[in-house]
Amino acid sequence: VRFFESKTLLDLYSDWDSSTVYRSNDRGTSWKLVSTAKSRIDAFSFPDTLRGFGIEHFNNICSSVNGGRTWDKILDLRKGEVKTVLSSIFFINANVGYVTGNYGGNAIVLYTIDGGRNWNDLLNIPNVYIARMYISTVGDIFIIGASKKRNIILKVNRTRI
């Protein structure tokens, strides 16, 4: 569920091959169907009520400009035999966003400062699996994952980009 400063909430439900977006304009008392997409959105982030970004089928990044009614692919990470598996996405605003995932046994964190048109490496950590990412209100990025020997929580200050 994505909360906004107003009374508006967005939520997304995904099954194997489709996703359904719901909207509440009364802080969750009632919900209305926004859309049903014919692709699976595994994670999403809406910096405002209209502009959203999602992870499609664990290896594509897509965007919506109409509150989740439609989605367009902006980055396809299915390259060669080694696939990137994305796990978390978070946009601070319509331009600045982060995505976490795993590529060939390495944990990766990518970032964009132009609304997803271009993505850059922030972190690449060998032999670590990333499960989730959280961003605090002061800008620290917390990455939760594991290596073969232990669980890991990494803290990265986003001001380093």
Side-chain angles (χ1 to χ4, degrees), residues 89-148:
I89 190 166
F90 188 86
F91 271 73
I92 295 165
N93 56 45
N95 292 314
V96 179
Y98 302 86
V99 66
T100 61
N102 300 282
Y103 177 77
N106 296 339
I108 60 168
V109 179
L110 306 175
Y111 74 94
T112 182
I113 57 173
D114 60 8
R117 286 186 294 279
N118 296 289
W119 291 86
N120 302 291
D121 290 333
L122 180 63
L123 293 174
N124 189 328
I125 308 165
N127 303 314
V128 170
Y129 169 80
I130 292 180
R132 288 281 172 244
M133 165 185 56
Y134 302 94
I135 298 182
S136 73
T137 56
V138 295
D140 293 320
I141 303 169
F142 293 92
I143 299 166
I144 292 94
S147 68
K148 289 183 179 180

Side-chain angles (χ1 to χ4, degrees), residues 1-90:
V1 174
R2 171 69 164 124
F3 294 88
F4 296 96
E5 290 180 20
S6 66
K7 299 177 183 179
T8 303
L9 307 172
L10 289 174
D11 194 14
L12 182 129
Y13 170 78
S14 294
D15 60 21
W16 185 248
D17 59 359
S18 67
S19 298
T20 307
V21 178
Y22 297 93
R23 176 187 300 269
S24 172
N25 291 320
D26 56 12
R27 295 190 176 147
T29 302
S30 62
W31 292 87
K32 292 182 182 175
L33 176 68
V34 173
S35 72
T36 300
K38 294 189 185 216
S39 63
R40 184 171 105 193
I41 308 295
D42 298 301
F44 71 96
S45 176
F46 278 82
D48 59 53
T49 58
L50 293 177
R51 182 87 170 149
F53 298 87
I55 296 172
E56 177 189 42
H57 288 286
F58 296 112
N59 50 25
N60 298 316
I61 300 174
C62 54
S63 70
S64 174
V65 295
N66 53 21
R69 285 185 182 88
T70 60
W71 295 88
D72 296 311
K73 189 181 303 179
I74 58 175
L75 181 65
D76 185 347
L77 292 172
R78 292 176 290 168
K79 298 177 182 172
E81 293 183 26
V82 179
K83 290 188 171 85
T84 302
V85 178
L86 301 175
S87 55
S88 298
I89 190 166
F90 188 86

